[in-house]
Amino acid sequence: MRLTNLLRTTVSAAVVGACAFGLAGTAAAQSQDGPTTIDDIIVTAQKREQNLQDVPIVVTSLPAETLENAGVRDIKDLQILTPGMTVTSTQSEASTTARIRGVGTVGDNPGLESSVGVVIDGVYRSRNSVGFGDLGEMSRIEVLKGPQGTLFGKNTSAGVINIITEAPSFTPGYSAEATVGNYGQMGVSGSVTGPITDQLAFRLYAGRRVRSGFYDVDTGDGPRTNTDDQNQDFITTRGQLLWLPNDNTSVRVIADYTSRDEYCCTGVQIRTGPTYPFVDGLSAGTGQRPPATGFGPLPFSRQAFANRGTGQDIKDMGVSIEANIDMPSLFGGATLTSVTSWRDWSGDIGMDIDYTGADIAYREQDGQYGYSVDNLTQELRLAGSNERLDWLVGLFATRERIGRGDSWFYGPDYTPFLSFLLSAQLNRANPALPVSPGIIGCFSRPGQTALFLQGCLAQGGTAPAGPTAATGPGFTLGQGFADFYDQESTSFAIFTNNTWHVTDQFDITLGLRYTQDDKSLDAQQRNLNGNGTTCGAFAANAAAIGGALGSASAASTIIGNACLPWSNFAYNNRNIAEDFSDGELSGTIKASYRLNESLLAYVSYARGYKSFGYNLDRVQTGITPVASLLFPSEVVDSYEAGLKMTLLDRTLLLNATYFDQTFTDFQLNTFLGTAFVVESIPELTSRGVDADFLWFTPVEGLSLSGGLTYTNTEYGDFTAADLTNPGNFPQLSLLPGSRASFAPEISASASINYDRSIGGGNRMGFSLAAKYMSEYNTGSDLLPYKMQDAFTTVNGRISIGSEDERWTLDLWAQNLTDEEYVQVAYNAPLQGSAFQSTVQAGGSHPGTYYNQALDTQTYDAYLGQPRTYGATLRFKY
């Protein structure tokens, strides 16, 4: 009966949540009263309840108390509990990326779908950023590693983060908590649940959290007034109804709303290059961190520079309806499941583009920069089982619309700053030419000649009048462009997943899924207020520039700097209309054999699929916009072989899995210095071992767990001819044969938890969770200055409260040792160059376009969070 099943499920979830705390693919004990065997760990990785040790998949199962003890409130917090997983944010919280086994999707381009799927209460979130926020009351989180497309759909080629929140209960109850911490952190939340009738129950949750920023901001020229950055200020609500109309039917309705009104994120300089004097000269104060001796790396600092605002206004809302109908007479007993969802997400963002105190370029938070995702999904599944077969068939359909707005504003320092850059370049070739803020008008003067251009440059553009005066136009002051991209997509899939119990020990699982995707793009690229005029004037004077500088290639470089994507006249009133359709068959086959009650061996093959898409940005080769913004689909072939052992009277878990994954047409989203562009890399391989353990020790209330992921994630060899756009190869020339970014060789987690009665109806406990990652590169172009050294983060908590959990006081700390590390490093726009225009015969990286001795680039970074600490008081009835 559905009511009986519900009560059984509720009890099971409560038992696991109370007794098991998980880490590295496991769950472990937390309550002194709960079960102390591995058999109590239940997962739904195959859309049915199974013991963790019976599932031939690498799964990290994390129940509610584990997440609470580790301070997990969103998916970014989750990574400390999961080896082989990293989560990073860049320009804003709307640009958040999850990676598993070194594979993931950078979140700056909304046209690019996720490699790691995020599923919340059975609803797929099509972009990682759409799934990142306060998760509220969680029942558990399951992290599935490797392709999971058969049951969880496309865009799960690297894995799935499956989140299950607390359901309504027919037992009345309420809870509340209040938190205070450093950086002005304050938070309150509460929930209430209970019956409305004997067939209808509800649950309501609401939370509000605020915190000051982690960065100190020098506002330079202004008008920014906020002197900190990466703060927190959001509210979230979630309401649920659970309806049991009869013994065979349950219907769960969930509605949620989250609003964030914050400012995030500025970067900080980790290496300041030779363009520093120009920034310094144009800004109030230094404008950025002064360079180190020899332009080497800078010491770690949270001092940022931004004269413009970095506001982010994010709204996320949705409704889902899940219905389960038991059909006892159909095929010997089957269950029909329907999941319907509508979601709407939007982000309105402001940005200081140059991340300095100088007023060079910015994006206003005026509704013209950001993106929105409107999504409607429908899934139907019919599943059943008998003694020899567990079967499942299903349909999935979705309609999605993405709207992206992009804009660009020129500050008054843009024209003189670019003039400094160009004149410094000319000065290196000819020291007689001065470095000056006034030469743009030399190049853009109508009807310019080589002779007069030489005279204008020799005077630094300071001649007051006459044929050598710099009378040409500079760049637009204020808004330069406003583009809008409208991508519509529909996707339809049919799938099946079936396990044949060949014998009591031997199982074979076969899953297949066919997906058909249709996408269209309509875009309007619009220059405003005369933007593009200066670029056009440079281009018109190409012959004069070549004559004055002595070569056409030198002229091409100068014109290229004047005709960057945001200033190129080729985007005047440019319209784009594209559409494409593609279908893909994916699936899995697994074989598992239980050698005895304590040992399961398995092998598996899976093929995953990640849909094609469009670059929703201005993309050009040279100064010519590319004809098509389309990039192809990505596929992965994955092989695994594993052992799952349950020992010591079923109190010790030891699991190990070897994996070998090959991605074809891997969708790499990289910043080319002027735009984020998706380029398909012919091949990426990820090979290694996942291992984990869990021990319910003989000591009452003490549990230990840990895990390790060894990964060798490398790009295959490729040349420019293998790329969709061969012109992107110079900036990607460090990739062939190299370890991928965000792919540490070693990622290890460990945890200890102790909780027991201290008498008088009270209990006390503590927990520690740690994560180690070996060195890795944080930039998709693998530039050496973007390397992050090996580091370890530790979270800790001490708890005291009543045995019935009516009240609990937690003293907690995140990043307990205040580890200093970089999330993502990137090239500061317009501030130097890393790659050269020709292949380097010698230097630090011969055979590529990079030579560290010639690197003039300023590098910025988004930093990891510092140590935070505080206290949380909870009440539950």
Side-chain angles (χ1 to χ4, degrees):
M1 293 188 302
R2 178 57 51 184
L3 179 59
T4 302
N5 288 341
L6 173 71
L7 294 175
R8 176 181 54 80
T9 302
T10 303
V11 171
S12 175
V15 167
V16 175
C19 76
F21 85 97
L23 188 64
T26 65
Q30 286 200 17
S31 170
Q32 71 275 14
D33 298 323
T36 55
T37 71
I38 305 302
D39 296 333
D40 299 306
I41 306 170
I42 305 300
V43 298
T44 55
Q46 298 191 114
K47 301 286 187 178
R48 63 180 77 244
E49 286 192 354
Q50 295 174 278
N51 180 266
L52 175 65
Q53 295 301 83
D54 293 332
V55 179
I57 301 173
V58 179
V59 184
T60 299
S61 181
L62 304 166
E65 291 198 23
T66 300
L67 302 170
E68 185 177 284
N69 279 356
V72 175
R73 297 194 182 277
D74 59 30
I75 298 175
K76 189 182 294 186
D77 297 331
L78 181 64
Q79 58 189 322
I80 195 169
L81 298 174
T82 313
M85 176 179 170
T86 60
V87 184
T88 58
S89 295
T90 54
Q91 296 176 352
S92 74
E93 294 298 329
S95 301
T96 303
T97 299
R99 298 172 179 85
I100 291 177
R101 295 173 176 171
V103 179
T105 298
V106 177
D108 301 280
N109 188 334
L112 183 63
E113 302 189 25
S114 306
S115 294
V116 177
V118 177
V119 178
I120 302 178
D121 290 324
V123 176
Y124 170 68
R125 308 296 178 90
S126 62
R127 303 295 184 278
N128 274 180
S129 58
V130 177
F132 285 81
D134 190 284
L135 297 173
E137 295 179 293
M138 291 172 282
S139 175
R140 67 182 183 277
I141 295 179
E142 299 169 357
V143 180
L144 286 61
K145 298 182 180 180
Q148 306 296 329
T150 303
L151 290 172
F152 289 92
K154 64 172 183 171
N155 308 327
T156 57
S157 53
V160 168
I161 302 171
N162 186 30
I163 300 163
I164 300 95
T165 66
E166 285 285 359
S169 171
F170 283 87
T171 302
Y174 66 87
S175 64
E177 71 170 53
T179 295
V180 295
N182 62 334
Y183 290 97
Q185 181 175 174
M186 292 185 291
V188 293
S189 64
S191 73
V192 58
T193 188
I196 298 175
T197 70
D198 58 356
Q199 294 181 325
L200 186 66
F202 79 99
R203 180 179 290 273
L204 180 64
Y205 168 84
R208 173 77 193 281
R209 306 192 190 282
V210 297
R211 190 202 65 230
S212 299
F214 294 140
Y215 295 91
D216 296 320
V217 180
D218 185 320
T219 61
D221 292 352
R224 178 186 175 120
T225 58
N226 292 324
T227 57
D228 67 328
D229 199 78
Q230 200 183 7
N231 77 323
Q232 187 177 79
D233 187 352
F234 69 84
I235 184 170
T236 185
T237 60
R238 175 184 291 262
Q240 301 184 59
L241 291 174
L242 178 61
W243 181 38
L244 305 177
N246 54 56
D247 288 344
N248 295 320
T249 304
S250 70
V251 180
R252 184 182 180 188
V253 181
I254 305 173
D256 65 90
Y257 174 81
T258 298
S259 175
R260 307 178 71 115
D261 185 7
E262 303 163 337
Y263 36 96
C264 179
C265 300
T266 58
V268 303
Q269 286 80 45
I270 58 173
R271 188 246 187 171
T272 303
T275 59
Y276 168 76
F278 312 143
V279 174
D280 183 22
L282 292 170
S283 62
T286 62
Q288 61 186 173
R289 299 179 67 193
T293 303
F295 300 109
L298 292 166
F300 188 92
S301 171
R302 295 189 181 276
Q303 179 63 60
F305 293 79
N307 70 293
R308 293 286 179 170
T310 53
Q312 60 175 17
D313 182 8
I314 297 174
K315 301 290 190 295
D316 184 17
M317 65 189 76
V319 177
S320 67
I321 303 173
E322 179 177 340
N324 290 277
I325 304 173
D326 292 336
M327 301 177 176
S329 61
L330 182 65
F331 305 124
T335 299
L336 176 66
T337 299
S338 170
V339 181
T340 306
S341 76
W342 167 80
R343 298 213 59 84
D344 184 81
W345 184 98
S346 63
D348 178 21
I349 301 165
M351 182 182 182
D352 187 311
I353 293 172
D354 52 277
Y355 299 98
T356 74
D359 199 5
I360 298 174
Y362 59 98
R363 290 179 168 107
E364 287 278 16
Q365 189 184 1
D366 59 1
Q368 296 187 81
Y369 177 59
Y371 72 94
S372 62
V373 180
D374 182 88
N375 189 275
L376 180 67
T377 69
Q378 175 63 55
E379 181 173 9
L380 291 171
R381 299 192 307 268
L382 186 65
S385 63
N386 54 46
E387 290 184 358
R388 287 300 175 194
L389 183 66
D390 299 331
W391 57 271
L392 181 150
V393 294
L395 302 171
F396 178 81
T398 179
R399 179 204 56 78
E400 180 180 78
R401 182 170 184 175
I402 297 174
R404 179 180 187 253
D406 194 9
S407 67
W408 179 284
F409 286 76
Y410 295 93
D413 292 335
Y414 184 88
T415 295
F417 182 72
L418 188 61
S419 179
F420 274 132
L421 296 180
L422 297 182
S423 60
Q425 178 182 330
L426 298 176
N427 175 264
R428 286 192 295 271
N430 181 3
L433 298 178
V435 177
S436 167
I439 68 166
I440 296 299
C442 297
F443 293 108
S444 62
R445 176 170 176 155
Q448 185 63 282
T449 67
L451 180 62
F452 291 145
L453 176 57
Q454 287 176 333
C456 186
L457 296 176
Q459 299 175 74
T462 60
T468 60
T471 57
F475 293 88
T476 299
L477 182 62
Q479 189 168 15
F481 74 74
D483 296 346
F484 185 75
Y485 304 83
D486 183 6
Q487 176 181 297
E488 294 189 8
S489 64
T490 58
S491 180
F492 178 79
I494 57 174
F495 59 93
T496 182
N497 194 75
N498 310 287
T499 299
W500 175 30
H501 306 293
V502 182
T503 69
D504 290 342
Q505 292 79 36
F506 183 41
D507 290 346
I508 295 177
T509 299
L510 175 65
L512 291 172
R513 188 182 190 104
Y514 179 77
T515 304
Q516 177 67 37
D517 284 323
D518 300 280
K519 293 185 180 180
S520 64
L521 172 66
D522 290 291
Q524 298 83 44
Q525 296 174 326
R526 298 288 186 267
N527 287 331
L528 304 176
N529 302 318
N531 184 37
T533 301
T534 305
C535 163
F538 271 59
N541 290 331
I545 298 173
L549 302 183
S551 72
S553 63
S556 178
T557 300
I558 294 294
I559 295 169
N561 280 277
C563 297
L564 293 165
W566 50 83
S567 58
N568 194 338
F569 69 90
Y571 296 98
N572 289 346
N573 298 315
R574 185 170 186 257
N575 296 319
I576 300 169
E578 299 189 52
D579 62 84
F580 190 74
S581 299
D582 191 21
E584 186 72 29
L585 181 66
S586 56
T588 185
I589 183 168
K590 304 180 179 76
S592 62
Y593 187 79
R594 183 160 292 285
L595 284 80
N596 53 51
E597 290 186 357
S598 300
L599 181 60
L600 177 77
Y602 68 91
V603 294
S604 68
Y605 164 78
R607 183 173 178 84
Y609 164 65
K610 186 162 174 280
S611 179
F612 61 91
Y614 296 99
N615 279 298
L616 305 185
D617 208 339
R618 293 187 170 197
V619 184
Q620 60 189 49
T621 301
I623 65 171
T624 303
V626 297
S628 173
L629 297 177
L630 180 73
F631 54 83
S633 301
E634 169 188 307
V635 296
V636 56
D637 294 292
S638 174
Y639 300 87
E640 295 188 0
L643 292 173
K644 293 194 170 188
M645 293 177 282
T646 310
L647 308 172
L648 299 184
D649 197 23
R650 311 193 71 77
T651 62
L652 175 65
L653 173 153
L654 295 174
N655 294 340
T657 300
Y658 170 79
F659 59 88
D660 186 329
Q661 305 175 136
T662 299
F663 294 79
T664 303
D665 289 331
F666 175 72
Q667 296 170 356
L668 178 73
N669 189 35
T670 188
F671 183 59
L672 299 180
T674 58
F676 287 97
V677 177
V678 179
E679 181 59 74
S680 293
I681 306 302
E683 183 178 277
L684 173 74
T685 59
S686 178
R687 301 183 177 97
V689 175
D690 282 310
D692 53 72
F693 81 92
L694 160 67
W695 186 24
F696 294 91
T697 73
V699 178
E700 181 183 350
L702 177 65
S703 299
L704 305 175
S705 64
L708 180 145
T709 297
Y710 166 80
T711 307
N712 184 19
T713 304
E714 292 184 343
Y715 295 108
D717 291 325
F718 62 91
T719 65
D722 298 315
L723 300 180
T724 304
N725 185 351
N728 291 336
F729 183 74
Q731 291 87 354
L732 303 176
S733 61
L734 292 175
L735 272 60
S738 298
R739 177 178 291 274
S741 57
F742 298 97
E745 184 176 35
I746 300 293
S747 175
S749 297
S751 180
I752 180 172
N753 187 84
Y754 184 68
D755 191 323
R756 63 174 299 164
S757 172
I758 57 174
N762 296 315
R763 63 184 178 87
M764 188 171 184
F766 72 89
S767 64
L768 285 174
K771 174 83 170 281
Y772 166 83
M773 289 196 287
S774 59
E775 66 174 10
Y776 59 92
N777 199 296
T778 67
S780 54
D781 52 15
L782 301 184
L783 287 163
Y785 283 106
K786 299 178 182 180
M787 285 296 296
Q788 167 61 51
D789 292 336
F791 68 100
T792 302
T793 52
V794 179
N795 292 354
R797 182 174 300 254
I798 297 174
S799 300
I800 187 169
S802 63
E803 289 185 343
D804 59 8
E805 298 186 340
R806 289 292 180 94
W807 68 271
T808 303
L809 176 64
D810 293 334
L811 303 177
W812 53 264
Q814 307 284 89
N815 191 8
L816 183 63
T817 59
D818 202 20
E819 188 75 33
E820 298 175 342
Y821 64 98
V822 165
Q823 283 195 87
V824 179
Y826 59 94
N827 299 5
L830 295 174
Q831 297 165 55
S833 59
F835 293 97
Q836 308 305 307
S837 58
T838 59
V839 174
Q840 302 296 290
S844 60
H845 295 74
T848 74
Y849 285 80
Y850 182 74
N851 184 341
Q852 192 162 349
L854 303 178
D855 186 345
T856 62
Q857 180 68 55
T858 289
Y859 293 94
D860 294 346
Y862 302 106
L863 306 178
Q865 293 189 1
R867 175 171 52 218
T868 57
Y869 52 85
T872 299
L873 181 62
R874 295 187 179 86
F875 298 95
K876 177 187 281 187
Y877 292 93

